[in-house]
Amino acid sequence: MTSPTALAGPRHACVIGAGIVGAATAHALAERGWRVTLVDAHAQPGRGESLGNGAQLSYSYVEPLATPDALKNLPKWLLLPDSPLRWRPQPRFSHARWLSEFVAACQWPTVRRTSEQLLSLAEESRRTLHRWLAALPGSAEATRHTQTGKLVIYRKPEALAGVQRQIEWQRAWGCAQAIVGADEVRRLEPALAATGGGPIAFGVWTATEEVIDAARLAVLLAQASGATLRLGRPVQRLVRDAAGRVVAAELAGGERIEADAIVMAAGPATVQLLKPLGARPPIEPIKGYSVSLPIVDDAAAPRVSITDNGRKLVHARLGDRLRVAGFAELIGMSRVLPPARIEALCQSVRETFPGACSFDDPQPWTGLRPATPSGRPQVGATRWPGLWVNAGHGALGLTLSCGSASLLADLMEGREPAVDPTAFRVTG
């Protein structure tokens, strides 16, 4: 079925945002014959929210942040000084609306429905990424892409029943996962033999999960797309014609890029750029942190991806560095790097993988993950002709980027997409 908003190619698209979502969108459109201009405020692709993300391609771990368990634990998390979650009230109606919709989404029927939709998009993302990488010689080495498998470790035995239910439910959606005991956890990842932070009760092993450097992947896809790059050039405003169609993006310095389609894939900046049009997409920035540490003892560092469920931290090996990432702060657009957060990440590595890394050059990072209350990204046409959106992926931006890019490109071409587009329609 052809969408009434679809555009017949070949046409010109201006994609705003050269992070992993924008670069993937540029590549998906170029693959379908579009001429693409890729715009970003940074001097290179992947230098914003994609630069230091957790690096895990977690296709089987897409449960949204909004769950009944999260709502139940929220008061405790907000009171703990070292809590993985922080919230600072913002004096904006959009913020209050986001919180209200988040609370409404914290119901198991909603969580299950959202998880099904995200699992479908994640599988499309896996297929698309693998196809792209196979067509680009040397891409695995360039992006540090490996199928390491993923271990989620649990330190509290009482979590087992709930985890068993989740795994059984996800099996119907093609997720091949296994619960393993503490001894098997250490066999799968010997570096966990000396772990601190409390004993390991059990783990969940998913052999098919992967890691990749999001920033390097963004560079690769931007280059492979053949897009005209306008980097280091922030967008000042979107331009409409007399009929109300969005026809151009105006950059700092006055340059105007006219295109048949303008695609907003600018992460949290998407909200600011759409605001003058009267748009209010339900997207809030959720701040996260990471450090990338040099590995000095190969045997003491993990080979598989590790998620510490209790601490809400992820660990991924990228070549000769270990990246540990975590925390979720709903505090506005602040990019300040508090030393306490970085030290908490470093301390986790000291305890979980003692002796594995040097802490002389930790390469700290913070990013603002654009999140919707439900956890579903917004992908598709807006109510303004000529304007499309691919944003709101939250912590799953890397995992879902190639799938959402493929979905958007299909919609822009009027093709029948592989996933249900109504689950990700643009609102606000």
Side-chain angles (χ1 to χ4, degrees):
M1 180 177 67
T2 301
S3 166
T5 55
L7 294 170
R11 295 290 182 91
H12 177 213
C14 175
V15 178
I16 301 172
I20 184 55
V21 173
T25 301
H27 190 71
L29 288 170
E31 186 180 45
R32 289 159 174 80
W34 287 67
R35 180 168 63 90
V36 180
T37 300
L38 187 58
V39 180
D40 199 278
H42 294 88
Q44 290 180 305
R47 303 301 294 182
E49 318 315 326
S50 302
L51 181 60
N53 84 355
Q56 292 188 352
L57 289 163
S58 298
Y59 301 112
S60 298
Y61 292 88
V62 297
E63 184 178 85
L65 180 62
T67 67
D69 289 341
L71 196 60
K72 179 178 67 177
N73 288 319
L74 195 59
K76 176 184 70 175
W77 286 341
L78 293 177
L79 290 173
L80 291 173
D82 58 349
S83 168
L85 179 67
R86 286 180 183 168
W87 169 51
R88 181 186 302 151
Q90 305 292 307
R92 293 181 282 108
F93 171 76
S94 59
H95 181 72
R97 184 189 66 173
W98 192 96
L99 291 172
S100 175
E101 292 180 10
F102 178 88
V103 172
C106 292
Q107 304 177 51
W108 282 123
T110 302
V111 173
R112 288 293 170 88
R113 185 169 62 253
T114 296
S115 296
E116 291 172 6
Q117 294 161 341
L118 292 175
L119 284 169
S120 176
L121 185 59
E123 184 54 34
E124 172 65 8
S125 200
R126 188 206 305 263
R127 289 192 298 265
T128 302
L129 175 62
H130 285 188
R131 178 168 55 81
W132 287 350
L133 293 180
L136 297 171
S139 59
E141 295 79 11
T143 60
R144 297 169 173 164
H145 177 242
T146 55
Q147 185 177 308
T148 60
K150 177 173 174 173
L151 266 173
V152 181
I153 58 174
Y154 292 82
R155 302 184 186 275
K156 295 182 178 180
E158 56 267 29
L160 180 59
V163 172
Q164 286 175 324
R165 287 192 297 270
Q166 181 70 14
I167 287 179
E168 187 63 31
W169 175 77
Q170 290 199 174
R171 185 172 290 116
W173 290 88
C175 299
Q177 300 171 285
I179 294 177
V180 294
D183 291 341
E184 180 66 4
V185 165
R186 295 183 175 91
R187 188 194 69 78
L188 289 165
E189 181 46 78
L192 285 169
T195 186
I200 295 174
F202 67 95
V204 175
W205 170 241
T206 310
T208 55
E209 301 292 61
E210 307 162 17
V211 300
I212 199 166
D213 189 312
R216 290 183 175 217
L217 179 59
V219 171
L220 178 77
L221 294 179
Q223 292 174 343
S225 74
T228 299
L229 303 180
R230 289 288 187 269
L231 303 178
R233 306 291 301 278
V235 174
Q236 297 296 302
R237 69 185 185 99
L238 303 179
V239 181
R240 287 182 288 176
D241 64 12
R245 182 181 183 86
V246 177
V247 295
E250 187 175 292
L251 310 187
E255 180 184 0
R256 180 176 290 193
I257 298 175
E258 297 182 355
D260 300 292
I262 306 294
V263 180
M264 295 300 310
T270 296
V271 176
Q272 282 72 38
L273 288 170
L274 292 181
K275 189 175 180 179
L277 301 181
R280 298 291 187 272
I283 295 173
E284 285 282 320
I286 297 185
K287 189 177 184 181
Y289 301 87
S290 76
V291 291
S292 298
L293 301 164
I295 295 172
V296 295
D297 185 344
D298 191 69
R303 296 252 171 213
V304 308
S305 291
I306 303 292
T307 294
D308 190 327
N309 181 264
R311 294 179 172 180
K312 308 299 181 188
L313 300 179
V314 302
H315 307 75
R317 185 167 184 157
L318 291 170
D320 59 357
R321 284 187 174 265
L322 179 66
R323 181 167 294 168
V324 55
F327 305 123
E329 298 182 348
L330 191 60
I331 61 173
M333 294 292 287
S334 169
R335 295 182 182 271
V336 174
L337 268 167
R341 282 306 206 193
I342 302 307
E343 175 54 29
L345 294 174
C346 291
Q347 185 60 27
S348 170
V349 175
R350 291 188 188 99
E351 294 177 358
T352 309
F353 304 108
C357 296
S358 166
F359 298 90
D360 295 335
D361 180 24
Q363 293 189 5
W365 171 87
T366 186
L368 304 176
R369 299 165 292 198
T372 64
S374 68
R376 295 188 302 270
Q378 302 221 328
V379 184
T382 70
R383 64 179 183 267
W384 293 274
L387 180 64
W388 304 75
V389 169
N390 189 4
H393 300 68
L396 293 171
L398 175 57
T399 296
L400 301 178
S401 58
C402 298
S404 69
S406 180
L407 168 60
L408 182 66
D410 282 344
L411 293 173
M412 292 174 68
E413 289 251 295
R415 300 183 183 182
E416 190 72 32
V419 299
D420 179 8
T422 63
F424 308 103
R425 65 182 180 273
V426 180
T427 62

